[in-house]
């Protein structure tokens, strides 16, 4: 089978997997899906929040009508009667006392995501507007799932980008290319099964990383390449503020390339590409930060959210006074952030949608393979690209640690004074493609004693297949839910 057909199979596999699970999980999950959906609805109507506004009336109506209790209760809660019928299937449509209390609560609840970076919400809002125009017959529940199905496009783009990046990096063999592609296609990250912004981060930075590969490999990068690289880098930050270290890294890589060009006496010819990169990477970011400062009072529009959550800034001298810095808590941080990096954070029937043995595999294999990739050449021969790949993931880890040390979390539930660190792996998903390159590089080095590449990568594919089958098995209760897309 030709390479293009294999790639198409991986893209279709990712599309089918994401669509099925996005359709199977009912609304609204435990990872702030209500807040994210509310923002998508507001952006679709041309409403850009200027403060932590309360939920819209439309969002509140959707929550009351379509919310599943399965995330916060178990069937046993209802004394053997099973989950109650979905609200949208109840014939009388009357508001009971419980609904009234929920409505009053939601109408007064500020949307703590209102000041988030805008790119995902603008895209999802436009997607919702498009879907509403072509699906005039659809009920509101179908339109909510339509927003989730946008993630299918992001998943396909991610697989294609993983393949292109692995193929265009000097030194990678075909087995490593397909391993990277397969990992991107089959990683069971449940962020793709919900309405939320993190799913766009690896796509935007995937484009940025691909353009960086071409920028570094070009004898003299053309102007349009600097333009594309700049736009992709700016887009990465405009999706998620936690991706900020990536624009600093990419800027450093471009400067290193400029130094190479200067030594080769080709800097003058590359000036259009360098200039366009700096203009299109930084001007959108400066404009966005200026807007934030004028509207929210700080350049990252984070202070109002911090106050709402009950956090307070710690003085620099107190940063090291954090239990995270103990050996035990550092290990816990690594385990939690890598487990959720692989499979996400969703719960169902008050339990994580997880399998303990796989969780151990996720964090332990990541530790071993990443360390090996960091201390060896891995599968990347170019020094500058190897540096960019390593630091893409490492910088995000360091950034999350620094953010964890900065705050006293008061009475907040997550992070908390008991567990004073961020452990959401989706915050690292901007560097997913560099991670796959490092992971496969470490795996390849560990098993380099096996000369036959088919045999060497057999275990890798067996692991991925096992992960995929296990994800399906532990998700059976989700597919059986009467609250999901298949029962509308």
């Amino acid at each position: 089978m030709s390479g293009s057909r294999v790639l198409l199979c991986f893209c279709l596999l990712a599309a089918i997997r994401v669509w099925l699970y996005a359709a199977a999980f009912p609304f609204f999950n435990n990872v702030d899906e209500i807040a994210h959906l509310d923002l998508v609805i507001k952006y679709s109507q041309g409403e850009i929040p200027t403060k932590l506004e309360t939920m819209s009336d439309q969002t509140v109506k959707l929550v009351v009508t379509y919310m599943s209790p399965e995330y916060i209760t178990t069937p046993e809660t209802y004394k053997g009667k099973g989950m109650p019928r979905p609200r949208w299937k109840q014939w009388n449509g009357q508001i009971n006392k419980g609904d009234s209390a929920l409505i009053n609560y939601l109408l007064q609840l500020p949307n703590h995501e209102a000041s988030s970076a805008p790119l995902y919400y603008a895209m999802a809002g436009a997607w919702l507007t498009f879907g509403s125009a072509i699906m005039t017959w659809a009920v509101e529940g179908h339109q909510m799932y339509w927003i989730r199905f946008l993630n299918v496009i992001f998943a396909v783009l991610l697989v294609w980008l993983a393949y292109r990046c692995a193929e265009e990096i000097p030194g990678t063999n075909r087995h490593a290319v397909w391993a990277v592609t397969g990992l991107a296609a089959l990683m069971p990250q449940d962020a793709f099964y919900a309405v939320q912004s993190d799913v766009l981060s690896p796509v935007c930075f995937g484009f940025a990383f691909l353009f960086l590969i071409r920028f570094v490999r070009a004898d003299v990068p053309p102007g349009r390449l600097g333009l594309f690289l700049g736009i992709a880098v700016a887009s990465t930050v405009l999706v998620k503020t936690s991706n900020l270290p990536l624009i600093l890294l990419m800027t450093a890589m471009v400067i290193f390339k400029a130094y190479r060009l200067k030594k080769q006496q080709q800097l003058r010819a590359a000036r259009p590409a360098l200039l366009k990169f700096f203009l299109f990477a930084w001007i959108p970011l400066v404009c966005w930060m200026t807007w934030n400062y004028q509207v929210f009072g700080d350049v990252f529009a984070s202070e109002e959210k911090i106050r709402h959550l009950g956090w307070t800034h710690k003085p620099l001298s107190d940063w090291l006074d954090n239990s995270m810095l103990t050996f035990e808590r550092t290990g816990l941080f690594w385990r939690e952030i890598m487990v959720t990096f692989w499979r996400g954070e969703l719960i169902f029937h008050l339990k994580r949608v997880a399998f303990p043995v796989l969780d151990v595999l996720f964090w332990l294999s990541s530790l071993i393979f990443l360390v090996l990739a960091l201390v060896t050449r891995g599968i990347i021969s170019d020094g500058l690209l190897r540096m960019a790949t390593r630091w893409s993931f490492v910088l995000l880890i360091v950034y999350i640690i620094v953010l964890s040390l900065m705050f006293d979390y008061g009475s907040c539930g997550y992070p908390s004074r008991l567990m004073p660190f961020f452990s959401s792996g989706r915050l690292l998903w901007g560097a997913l493609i560099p991670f796959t390159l490092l992971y496969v590089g470490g795996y390849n080095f560990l098993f380099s004693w096996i000369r036959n590449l088919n045999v060497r990568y057999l275990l890798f594919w067996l692991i991925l297949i096992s992960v995929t089958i296990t994800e399906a098995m532990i998700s059976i209760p989700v597919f059986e839910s009467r609250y999901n897309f298949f029962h509308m």
Side-chain angles (χ1 to χ4, degrees):
M1 186 181 294
S2 66
S4 59
R5 290 183 179 180
V6 175
L7 177 59
L8 178 60
C9 290
F10 275 120
C11 289
L12 287 175
L13 183 61
I16 293 170
R17 183 179 63 84
V18 170
W19 188 89
L20 282 174
Y21 284 97
F25 276 95
F27 279 87
F28 292 85
N29 67 40
N30 56 293
V31 192
D32 299 327
E33 190 167 33
I34 294 174
H36 294 296
L37 177 71
D38 181 63
L39 272 189
V40 172
I41 291 172
K42 288 175 178 176
Y43 272 79
S44 72
Q45 298 168 349
E47 300 177 15
I48 302 177
T50 56
K51 60 180 179 179
L52 297 193
E53 302 170 346
T54 54
M55 303 289 176
S56 68
D57 292 344
Q58 184 177 353
T59 301
V60 173
K61 177 186 175 183
L62 291 171
V63 172
V64 173
T65 306
Y66 293 99
M67 184 177 69
S68 167
E70 293 162 306
Y71 292 104
I72 58 175
T73 62
T74 64
E76 291 72 25
T77 305
Y78 300 93
K79 300 179 180 180
K81 297 180 181 179
M83 290 291 172
R85 291 180 66 205
R87 184 70 181 171
W88 72 83
K89 291 185 178 181
Q90 295 180 20
W91 65 271
N92 55 19
Q94 295 178 359
I95 300 297
N96 58 39
K97 292 182 179 180
D99 291 335
S100 298
L102 178 60
I103 290 171
N104 292 332
Y105 171 74
L106 290 173
L107 287 175
Q108 299 173 21
L109 181 68
N111 186 338
H112 61 281
E113 297 289 350
S115 59
S116 298
L119 184 57
Y120 167 80
Y121 303 105
M123 292 180 64
W127 176 256
L128 174 59
T129 301
F130 170 68
S132 300
I134 65 173
M135 296 190 304
T136 55
W137 48 268
V139 299
E140 291 175 318
H142 290 146
Q143 293 177 0
M144 290 196 302
Y145 277 100
W146 172 260
I147 302 172
R148 278 193 185 174
F149 295 156
L150 175 61
N151 295 346
V152 173
I153 298 175
F154 295 153
V156 171
L157 283 173
L158 179 61
V159 173
W160 180 82
L161 286 165
Y163 171 79
R164 295 304 308 173
C165 288
E167 186 182 49
E168 295 193 20
I169 286 180
T172 52
N173 59 62
R174 298 303 296 174
H175 286 78
V177 169
W178 291 124
V180 168
T181 307
L183 190 56
L186 296 175
M187 186 176 285
Q189 173 54 254
D190 57 33
F192 277 101
Y193 314 151
V195 177
Q196 59 117 323
S197 60
D198 295 281
V199 294
L200 187 54
S201 288
V203 175
C204 288
F205 191 67
F207 276 110
F209 199 75
L210 178 61
F211 294 140
L212 178 70
I213 293 170
R214 295 174 178 177
F215 195 94
V216 168
R217 295 190 65 189
D219 293 332
V220 178
R224 67 179 182 278
L225 196 51
L227 167 68
F228 296 153
L229 178 58
I231 292 174
V233 170
S235 298
T236 303
V237 181
L238 292 175
V239 169
K240 200 78 173 178
T241 310
S242 58
N243 293 327
L244 183 64
L246 297 178
I247 190 174
L248 303 177
L249 173 66
M250 299 300 271
T251 301
M253 294 299 105
V254 170
I255 292 174
F256 281 132
K257 175 63 176 179
Y259 178 71
R260 280 186 180 180
L261 292 168
K262 182 179 180 181
K263 291 177 63 176
Q264 299 166 358
Q265 298 183 343
Q266 293 179 318
L267 183 60
R268 181 182 295 273
R271 281 180 181 174
L274 297 172
L275 179 61
K276 289 180 180 179
F277 166 78
F278 283 103
L279 287 176
F280 286 91
W282 285 97
I283 287 182
L285 202 57
V286 170
C287 291
W288 173 62
M289 290 190 293
T290 302
W291 158 266
N292 286 339
Y293 184 78
Q294 292 178 343
V295 174
F296 292 97
D298 64 288
V299 294
F300 295 118
S302 59
E303 290 302 315
E304 192 174 358
K305 178 178 179 179
I306 289 170
R307 289 192 296 270
H308 170 72
L309 295 174
W311 305 351
T312 54
H313 290 276
K314 293 166 62 175
L316 183 60
S317 58
D318 292 344
W319 282 19
L320 298 182
D321 183 20
N322 189 310
S323 61
M324 177 190 182
L325 299 179
T326 63
F327 181 79
E328 179 183 358
R329 290 299 179 90
T330 300
L332 178 61
F333 164 76
W334 176 260
R335 291 194 297 272
E336 283 296 309
I337 203 165
M338 290 315 303
V339 163
T340 56
F341 178 86
W342 275 83
R343 55 106 166 120
E345 303 168 66
L346 293 188
I347 62 172
F348 202 74
H349 293 162
L350 293 178
K351 297 179 181 179
R352 285 187 170 186
V353 185
F355 185 61
V357 174
L358 279 187
D359 283 356
V360 173
L361 173 68
F362 291 153
W363 71 261
L364 185 58
S365 66
S366 297
L367 177 63
I368 295 172
F369 296 158
L370 288 178
V371 168
L372 290 175
L374 292 175
V375 300
T376 67
R377 287 181 51 180
I379 57 174
I380 305 172
S381 59
D382 184 273
L384 190 54
L385 292 176
R386 188 162 59 247
M387 185 189 306
T389 305
R390 290 171 174 173
W391 282 105
S392 295
F393 194 76
V394 171
L395 275 181
L396 287 186
I397 289 280
V398 172
Y399 186 60
I400 296 303
I401 293 174
V402 171
L403 286 179
S404 299
L405 301 178
M406 287 176 58
F407 301 103
D408 181 332
Y409 298 104
S411 59
C412 186
Y414 168 76
S416 65
R417 285 178 173 172
L418 182 63
M419 304 280 283
F421 50 82
F422 296 92
S423 58
S424 298
R426 54 192 164 84
L427 299 176
L428 307 175
W429 253 56
L432 174 64
I433 289 178
F435 170 84
T436 61
L437 291 164
L438 293 171
Y439 190 89
V440 173
Y443 175 91
N444 186 71
F445 180 82
L446 182 64
F447 293 98
S448 58
W449 53 275
I450 302 177
R451 297 300 180 184
N452 187 313
L453 290 178
N454 291 324
V455 177
R456 183 188 304 177
Y457 281 92
L458 177 62
L459 175 61
F460 188 90
W461 290 110
L462 290 176
I463 291 174
L464 279 186
I465 293 171
S466 300
V467 168
T468 303
I469 294 174
T470 305
E471 181 187 21
M473 293 175 62
I474 63 178
S475 300
I476 289 175
V478 176
F479 282 90
E480 292 176 342
S481 170
R482 293 191 295 171
Y483 290 79
N484 64 26
F485 178 80
F486 301 119
H487 292 86
M488 283 187 177

